[in-house]
Amino acid sequence: MATKIVKSVFRSNLFLGNIAIITGGGTGIGKSIAKELSVLGCKVVIASRKPRVLEECARVLNSELCEELVFPFPCNIRKEDEVKNLMHYTVSKFGKLDFLINNGGGQFISPFSEINTKGWNAVVDTNLNGTYYCLREAYHAWMGKNGGSIVNIVVSNFNGMPGMSHSAAARAGIINLTQTLALEWAENGIRINAIAPGCIYSESAAANYQNYPNLFKDVVNLIPLKRTGTVEEVSALVCFLLSPAASFITGDILKIDGAQSLHRHSFYEPKDHTNSKPFTWQGVPFQPSKL
Ligand code: ADE
């Protein structure tokens, strides 16, 4: 029989010869992205603050792959110098940097009125400034001259996020940065998109919210698809955006939340109160006009 001449952009070894950096790469969504990219042939540098977690992640993935494709590199994205080192390590070891996945981030649950300056700055520093350092250094180390594809991972929190104001403010900054850089860096051959996951279950996410043991069970009531998402579903979307299949997509923000944000994305309920009054004129309330 003749060999097929039809081709698909979706094929094995899709990312053979490509080099990626994933921040927050040793656990949860980051680990799953590392797995998906490396199964498709990509060499992946996973970065986070926890060397032992990174080493174990790389060991497990490389042994499953029967090949060394995953490389741990300790880096606190809050520190400019460490981010510079991450980029220089990658470009000098592999000769290039095709993909950057800004996945490192985090937050704690608290009403805005109880967040102090230290807590606020820590969350903004990791999420927004950490992403800024990674974008800037990836640009200078490689992508500015050679192009590349970037995915920023934020959170689906588009109508405000009671209990997570610091994170929501930082993530909104990243979304606007994504759009701005899609414009500024189009001429450099860089595509940059963001994805906004809703509630995605992973062991590391569950550990992070261990003070809220029913969170992942209760949230299902808010999700039209009636389940939480999986890390594999998120990594498939990241791979799509990095791939040539998305070569005309840049500056976009894709929600992956089972339609939760279209329905109701937080547990917040307005409390009963009488603290809101319509305005008056010379002490006299305006009456609704009679139709
Ligand atoms: N993931 C969460 N916080 C991080 C940090 N400060 N640096 C790298 N990865 C992270």
Side-chain angles (χ1 to χ4, degrees):
M1 205 162 56
T3 345
K4 277 189 209 159
I5 54 161
V6 284
K7 292 182 186 147
S8 170
V9 69
F10 298 109
R11 56 180 188 272
S12 52
N13 282 329
L14 180 62
F15 295 122
L16 194 66
N18 289 134
I19 308 296
I21 290 176
I22 307 171
T23 64
T27 55
I29 289 173
K31 180 178 179 183
S32 178
I33 298 167
K35 181 170 184 174
E36 192 73 20
L37 280 175
S38 56
V39 167
L40 292 168
C42 193
K43 289 195 173 124
V44 181
V45 177
I46 50 173
S48 86
R49 282 173 304 175
K50 298 180 181 145
R52 264 193 233 118
V53 173
L54 290 175
E55 274 155 29
E56 179 58 10
C57 173
R59 190 190 64 72
V60 169
L61 292 182
N62 287 331
S63 88
E64 285 172 7
L65 293 158
C66 304
E67 203 181 342
E68 194 184 15
L69 291 174
V70 180
F71 301 83
F73 192 90
C75 170
N76 181 350
I77 56 171
R78 292 189 204 177
K79 306 255 166 82
E80 289 188 75
D81 288 351
E82 293 189 24
V83 173
K84 268 192 188 137
N85 289 342
L86 168 66
M87 300 302 161
H88 288 144
Y89 160 80
T90 305
V91 173
S92 52
K93 184 170 173 74
F94 302 106
K96 65 201 291 242
L97 171 61
D98 301 297
F99 306 140
L100 170 65
I101 300 100
N102 284 311
N103 168 65
Q107 60 269 309
F108 55 91
I109 298 176
S110 170
F112 175 76
S113 55
E114 287 168 27
I115 300 173
N116 62 23
T117 306
K118 188 169 173 234
W120 177 272
N121 284 346
V123 172
V124 173
D125 219 11
T126 303
N127 292 287
L128 183 56
N129 296 341
T131 300
Y132 157 64
Y133 295 142
C134 290
L135 291 168
R136 189 187 72 191
E137 295 307 323
Y139 179 92
H140 289 306
W142 182 260
M143 290 188 180
K145 292 221 168 65
N146 303 284
S149 182
I150 300 170
V151 176
N152 295 324
I153 303 191
V154 294
V155 173
S156 178
N157 56 19
F158 295 97
N159 297 325
M161 197 67 170
M164 290 205 190
S165 53
H166 39 18
S167 169
R171 313 282 186 163
I174 297 172
I175 288 174
N176 204 283
L177 190 55
T178 304
Q179 294 165 325
T180 300
L181 296 184
L183 299 172
E184 286 193 14
W185 289 356
E187 68 190 44
N188 302 83
I190 299 172
R191 289 189 304 108
I192 176 166
N193 293 288
I195 66 162
C199 196
I200 309 297
Y201 180 83
S202 70
E203 275 176 23
S204 50
N208 196 35
Y209 296 112
Q210 60 192 346
N211 295 340
Y212 305 87
N214 295 327
L215 184 72
F216 287 94
K217 188 163 65 67
D218 293 349
V219 78
V220 168
N221 293 322
L222 311 182
I223 306 174
L225 290 190
K226 287 291 163 189
R227 64 176 177 85
T228 54
T230 68
V231 292
E232 290 80 8
E233 287 171 313
V234 177
S235 45
L237 177 58
V238 172
C239 286
F240 165 71
L241 285 172
L242 294 174
S243 80
S247 48
F248 202 50
I249 302 177
T250 191
D252 215 342
I253 320 299
L254 280 98
K255 294 178 293 180
I256 171 162
D257 68 357
Q260 187 182 348
S261 56
L262 295 178
H263 171 57
R264 202 184 139 188
H265 65 94
S266 91
F267 294 108
Y268 169 76
E269 291 283 359
K271 286 190 186 139
D272 279 342
H273 66 86
T274 54
N275 293 327
S276 173
K277 306 272 188 295
F279 62 78
T280 58
W281 185 71
Q282 294 183 341
V284 181
F286 279 55
Q287 297 299 322
S289 60
K290 289 192 182 122
L291 292 175

